[in-house]
Amino acid sequence: MIYRVYCDGHLLYHTRMGSLMIHNPSLELEVNKTGSFVFTVQQDHPYYDLIRKLKSIITVYQDDFLLFRGRALNDEEGWHNERQISCEGELAFLLDSIQRPYDFTGSITDFLSMLITNHNAQVEAEKQFTLGKVTVTDPNDYIVRSDIDHTTTWDVIQKKLLDLLGGYIIVRHQDGKRYLDYLSSINVLSPQKIIFGQNLLDLKRIRKGEDIATVVIPLGAKLKDAEGKDTDKRLTIESVNGGVDAVQDVDAIAQYGRIVKTVIFDDVTDAGNLLTKGKAHLADSVKLPETVELTAADLAATGQDIASFHVATMVDAISDPHGLKQRFLISKLSLKLFEPGSNKMTLGGVLDTFTSAANKITTSGGRDGRDGQDAVTLRIDSSRGTVFKNSEVSTVLNVVIFKGGKTITDAVAMRTEFGSNAHLEWQWQRMGEATFGTILTTDSRITEEGFALSLTPSDVDTKVVFKCQLVTE
């Protein structure tokens, strides 16, 4: 594995060139964060004076893969005149521009396009972006956003998009351009797995309960008075929810107690849409987020012909002693370029907290391995939530297939899109078993040619995982 570091196109460091050295280089890369790169350069380095604060563009390559691009931010000079350079990633360029007060109604794509256009008009070419792929959607097919303040572009993206709609802001370098993608999911799977006894060196699981809510009061846009001006009251769901302004999860209440929280959807003006959004928010709020922090040996560093781990990709982690067998998002990487044994990886996921028939998602990238018009996502929705508690709940698991902008919910549409041999295959796995078993298509629990699977408490023993996959051959 070869690392190369450049400053404004000049080679600062190369793994195999002793004449160009830097010291203690470390990278912090994180999803939806600007990221950082810190290194020290000695006074005898030929490009010691070349690095300019806030101006110089620093790039870091791992073999031919661009790990980091950003700018020199801070400069500390030590006793021997060595310079410690701290750099911030290129998403920080969005802090250099201001979004003036605005009142916007339209699509997510148009809103992000507006932000990028305004940003590009204020900064130099090396800090500009091109609008890329936008796959995040809103049930209303439009959003309403406004601001009376002068706010940095990055803060607007954080508060008006990421905080409200979720998703991932990714910088993609392609064909000499810097695209800013806004993706609803990450579909790129690392070819390298993390496996106990092979490359897993250390593991820590962190579960935090402060974000749990078992009762949610969804609030919509501010109501207007007779003159069309905003009032202090907001739209509620009482008119479409039997006079009740909240939604609740009975199983989660039994597990955690009643924890009531509000959530505001400023762009929702219809009570029915507000109820739908409130239920979706509750479904996420009852899940216990789990972060897995681990140290894994990167087999690519040992000379094996396999790609390294990269942030904003999915990875399969398997450790039987820890009861871990799950696909996680690599949400953060801490890399010591000269000390690979000290590298740490943070995986973000959701812990199945109840005895459950778990909702699993199977994804496949486009033909080029990236999210695209041919990318396919299979989602499983449950009529009674994704969990069983004390074997008291029955549910129906329903399959929804997404391809590009299409939504497929029946076998006829599936075969039209994927061919006459396309079919759904259900599998299940009991806790402690190493493999999944296939549920026959003749099983009475399977209906609608595989698009529905009915489950009862008798189908769940302690913990059972059900998954479904689309077979096209």
Side-chain angles (χ1 to χ4, degrees):
M1 183 182 296
I2 295 176
Y3 286 106
R4 290 173 291 136
V5 180
Y6 293 87
C7 172
D8 297 328
H10 298 278
L11 186 63
L12 284 180
Y13 169 77
H14 191 292
T15 300
R16 295 178 179 174
M17 297 180 65
S19 59
L20 294 175
M21 283 296 299
I22 59 176
H23 301 272
N24 304 319
S26 62
L27 273 167
E28 294 286 337
L29 306 173
E30 188 170 358
V31 171
N32 290 341
K33 303 291 183 182
T34 59
S36 65
F37 176 52
V38 179
F39 65 96
T40 298
V41 59
Q42 300 293 335
Q43 191 173 16
D44 59 355
H45 193 287
Y47 296 125
Y48 176 84
D49 293 321
L50 185 68
I51 306 169
R52 297 172 294 167
K53 184 168 60 176
L54 291 175
K55 186 67 176 176
S56 289
I57 299 296
I58 307 295
T59 51
V60 181
Y61 287 86
Q62 183 185 68
D63 294 326
D64 292 325
F65 182 83
L66 179 61
L67 272 180
F68 175 89
R69 180 179 181 271
R71 63 181 171 194
L73 178 64
N74 295 321
D75 182 350
E76 295 182 14
E77 194 167 311
W79 179 261
H80 298 289
N81 295 323
E82 73 278 9
R83 297 176 65 188
Q84 184 184 72
I85 309 297
S86 299
C87 309
E88 59 182 356
E90 56 192 337
L91 281 178
F93 297 159
L94 297 168
L95 291 167
D96 293 351
S97 61
I98 291 293
Q99 299 294 322
R100 292 173 173 81
Y102 59 88
D103 195 343
F104 175 88
T105 300
S107 70
I108 297 171
T109 300
D110 288 344
F111 182 65
L112 184 56
S113 177
M114 179 191 78
L115 299 182
I116 292 175
T117 299
N118 292 341
H119 165 78
N120 289 345
Q122 301 173 57
V123 300
E124 301 89 335
E126 63 268 20
K127 296 192 289 186
Q128 295 177 1
F129 297 94
T130 299
L131 178 67
K133 303 171 185 175
V134 179
T135 62
V136 175
T137 59
D138 182 87
N140 298 324
D141 292 328
Y142 72 92
I143 59 173
V144 178
R145 299 290 188 269
S146 62
D147 200 335
I148 61 173
D149 297 319
H150 291 67
T151 310
T152 67
T153 301
W154 179 240
D155 284 341
V156 174
I157 290 174
Q158 286 274 8
K159 295 175 182 177
K160 302 295 186 178
L161 290 176
L162 294 174
D163 290 352
L164 297 176
L165 300 172
Y168 307 95
I169 291 289
I170 305 292
V171 179
R172 173 169 50 91
H173 293 262
Q174 185 175 334
D175 300 328
K177 294 184 178 181
R178 289 179 297 278
Y179 292 95
L180 198 66
D181 294 338
Y182 185 27
L183 307 179
S184 59
S185 61
I186 301 296
N187 292 330
V188 180
L189 177 64
S190 171
Q192 188 175 172
K193 297 181 180 180
I194 301 170
I195 302 176
F196 180 85
Q198 294 186 19
N199 59 345
L200 177 60
L201 305 178
D202 191 22
L203 182 147
K204 180 169 63 175
R205 304 173 79 158
I206 304 167
R207 305 180 181 99
K208 296 182 178 180
E210 55 260 36
D211 294 328
I212 289 285
T214 59
V215 181
V216 167
I217 303 173
L219 300 173
K222 289 184 176 181
L223 300 178
K224 306 286 186 180
D225 60 19
E227 298 178 355
K229 297 180 180 179
D230 287 344
T231 67
D232 293 332
K233 294 183 178 181
R234 290 185 176 272
L235 176 70
T236 71
I237 61 172
E238 292 180 70
S239 62
V240 294
N241 195 43
V244 180
D245 68 351
V247 289
Q248 63 181 23
D249 188 304
V250 176
D251 293 334
I253 291 173
Q255 178 79 2
Y256 303 118
R258 292 182 64 84
I259 305 172
V260 184
K261 294 185 179 180
T262 60
V263 57
I264 295 176
F265 301 98
D266 273 318
D267 60 332
V268 178
T269 57
D270 178 79
N273 289 339
L274 183 61
L275 178 60
T276 299
K277 286 201 168 190
K279 288 180 177 179
H281 185 84
L282 176 63
D284 289 334
S285 297
V286 299
K287 298 175 183 177
L288 185 61
E290 177 183 55
T291 299
V292 178
E293 185 177 287
L294 54 81
T295 302
D298 190 344
L299 298 181
T302 66
Q304 294 194 32
D305 186 18
I306 191 170
S308 293
F309 297 117
H310 293 138
V311 75
T313 59
M314 305 299 291
V315 64
D316 290 326
I318 304 169
S319 178
D320 291 337
H322 301 99
L324 184 68
K325 186 177 182 180
Q326 190 169 337
R327 181 167 294 177
F328 287 97
L329 170 70
I330 301 178
S331 58
K332 183 178 180 180
L333 281 175
S334 299
L335 304 178
K336 304 285 188 182
L337 272 59
F338 294 172
E339 305 172 48
S342 299
N343 293 346
K344 291 187 181 296
M345 182 186 313
T346 301
L347 308 180
V350 175
L351 173 69
D352 294 326
T353 54
F354 304 128
T355 303
S356 65
N359 177 5
K360 297 295 178 185
I361 297 176
T362 303
T363 61
S364 60
R367 284 183 290 270
D368 63 354
R370 301 183 179 92
D371 183 25
Q373 290 302 312
D374 58 334
V376 178
T377 299
L378 187 152
R379 188 183 75 198
I380 301 174
D381 295 327
S382 173
S383 62
R384 295 292 301 275
T386 60
V387 298
F388 287 167
K389 183 180 184 297
N390 298 331
S391 299
E392 294 175 352
V393 179
S394 298
T395 190
V396 177
L397 304 182
N398 295 289
V399 172
V400 182
I401 301 171
F402 301 94
K403 181 182 179 183
K406 299 178 182 178
T407 300
I408 301 168
T409 58
D410 61 79
V412 174
M414 174 181 66
R415 287 192 286 267
T416 300
E417 185 65 36
F418 299 104
S420 59
N421 293 325
H423 62 279
L424 297 175
E425 182 180 278
W426 283 93
Q427 296 181 340
W428 71 320
Q429 180 189 51
R430 292 190 181 93
M431 184 175 66
E433 293 182 348
T435 60
F436 280 84
T438 300
I439 303 176
L440 299 177
T441 55
T442 56
D443 193 301
S444 61
R445 294 173 297 176
I446 295 180
T447 56
E448 300 178 24
E449 296 192 57
F451 275 82
L453 174 65
S454 299
L455 300 178
T456 65
S458 62
D459 294 313
V460 179
D461 178 18
T462 307
K463 179 176 180 178
V464 178
V465 175
F466 292 86
K467 69 177 184 179
C468 185
Q469 60 185 10
L470 170 64
V471 180
T472 57
E473 298 179 352

